[in-house]
Amino acid sequence: MQKPTPNKTWPYAALFVGIVCIAWSAILVRWTSIPGPASAFYRLLIPAIVLLPTFLIPSRQKLSTRSYAIIAIGGFFFALDLAFYNTSILQTSAANATLLGNNTPIVVGLLTWLVFRRRPAFSFWVGLALAVAGSLVIMGADLAKHAKFGLGDAMALAAAACFAVYLMATEEIRAHTSTLEFLRLAILSSTIFMFVFALILRVPLAIPDHRTLLALLGLGLVSQLGGYLALTYALGHLPATITSVSLLSQGPLTALLAALLLGEPLTGYQIAGGALVLVGVGLANRLSKPEEDANAAFGPATDAGAREHIG
């Protein structure tokens, strides 16, 4: 007897909420008056403090040393991702930094194929091609304004590679942990690594004004805690390939927010490129095979735990 296809309504809803929350991060970083690594540290520290009391909740599952190691690796690369990404936002346009920083699917697809020997479905590559084409249209229009490829653009690409490793680690570990358990451990480890980076780089961590404080609270509570709580839940039910392609829709959304709030008007290239990105995201999700939509290693017990914690 064939197993019924799991209902994906809640995972896709969570993915949508996560994208909206995370899309605000570039705007909030621009509203701070501190270096990129400093805003990245507070983005992690604030939710880490909020989640501290949850460590008093007894864990239903005992994690292995390997699981803790993978979470730590994910935390390390996520800290690097935020450090590169927040710095790139201050050196290039918010839309460009977001689009380049979210070209993660290229790395995710290759790592899925080369490391885990799971070749993404043909529909993924079709959607990815359209989404990346849209990103290149927007990026090309932005780069035409500059004489050379800027440091901010390079940092955004580095952020994309680091975030890809974080997504792969998340998908691997979410097969064995609940949403809350993974998120609190990942954020705590990322906070520690980010603090070490700030010390090594001698980045000042003082908060100079109330506007910066409010922006940092938004980064920590909305973009990080809210966004990644939703994203982590979605990754427990959807593969990293589909999730990473969907995250490309942050680009058009951030471009719209930047036009409204930062005075960065939308151009025809951004509108056309954004449309291609959204079409690519839709195709990657609509054409994917149902049996490939769920993480194959994700068992019923973990699913129940994740639903209980998220609700």
Side-chain angles (χ1 to χ4, degrees):
M1 183 176 178
Q2 187 176 6
K3 285 186 176 182
T5 303
N7 189 335
K8 298 300 177 187
T9 301
W10 285 111
Y12 277 107
L15 181 58
F16 173 77
V17 170
I19 289 170
V20 172
C21 290
I22 297 169
W24 274 91
S25 62
I27 310 301
L28 293 168
V29 169
R30 279 287 188 88
W31 284 345
T32 66
S33 303
I34 55 179
S39 62
F41 169 69
Y42 285 110
R43 173 175 172 168
L44 293 166
L45 178 65
I46 291 169
I49 293 173
V50 172
L51 291 174
L52 274 180
T54 66
F55 281 94
L56 298 176
I57 302 174
S59 177
R60 295 185 179 182
Q61 298 160 317
K62 187 175 180 181
L63 296 180
S64 64
T65 302
R66 176 179 177 274
S67 295
Y68 281 115
I70 293 177
I71 290 174
I73 292 171
F76 174 79
F77 279 97
F78 186 67
L80 280 178
D81 163 52
L82 289 186
F84 283 128
Y85 179 63
N86 284 19
T87 304
S88 72
I89 291 169
L90 301 177
Q91 299 192 29
T92 186
S93 70
N96 200 47
T98 303
L99 286 163
L100 287 172
N102 284 284
N103 272 313
T104 310
I106 297 173
V107 185
V108 171
L110 290 175
L111 286 178
T112 299
W113 188 5
L114 298 176
V115 178
F116 296 104
R117 306 296 182 184
R118 298 200 307 266
R119 184 174 182 176
F122 177 73
S123 60
F124 166 78
W125 297 109
V126 173
L128 175 61
L130 286 175
V132 171
S135 298
L136 289 175
V137 169
I138 300 175
M139 183 182 68
D142 185 80
L143 293 179
K145 302 175 185 177
H146 306 283
K148 60 181 180 180
F149 195 73
L151 181 60
D153 298 318
M155 286 188 172
L157 287 174
C162 292
F163 190 60
V165 178
Y166 170 77
L167 281 180
M168 302 302 292
T170 300
E171 184 186 17
E172 180 72 13
I173 292 301
R174 282 292 284 113
H176 313 291
T177 64
S178 67
T179 300
L180 178 61
E181 186 173 10
F182 172 82
L183 192 66
R184 65 190 182 187
L185 288 172
I187 288 182
L188 181 61
S189 63
S190 295
T191 305
I192 294 171
F193 283 123
M194 196 66 246
F195 181 65
V196 173
F197 295 160
L199 289 179
I200 293 174
L201 297 173
R202 297 183 179 180
V203 175
L205 298 177
I207 301 175
D209 50 58
H210 286 90
R211 174 175 166 168
T212 297
L213 176 60
L214 291 175
L216 291 175
L217 287 173
L219 273 174
L221 298 178
V222 178
S223 295
Q224 186 61 42
L225 186 59
Y228 282 87
L229 184 65
L231 179 59
T232 302
Y233 171 75
L235 274 168
H237 303 264
L238 304 171
T241 48
I242 293 298
T243 306
S244 58
V245 171
S246 299
L247 284 170
L248 279 175
S249 59
Q250 287 178 65
L253 182 54
T254 297
L256 178 61
L257 291 173
L260 295 174
L261 302 172
L262 299 179
E264 296 180 1
L266 284 168
T267 66
Y269 288 105
Q270 286 178 313
I271 294 172
L276 278 175
V277 169
L278 293 178
V279 170
V281 169
L283 284 174
N285 284 277
R286 184 178 178 82
L287 298 180
S288 58
K289 298 177 182 178
E291 64 270 20
E292 293 172 348
D293 275 352
N295 185 340
F298 194 79
T302 309
D303 178 67
R307 288 180 183 272
E308 186 171 322
H309 284 300
I310 196 72

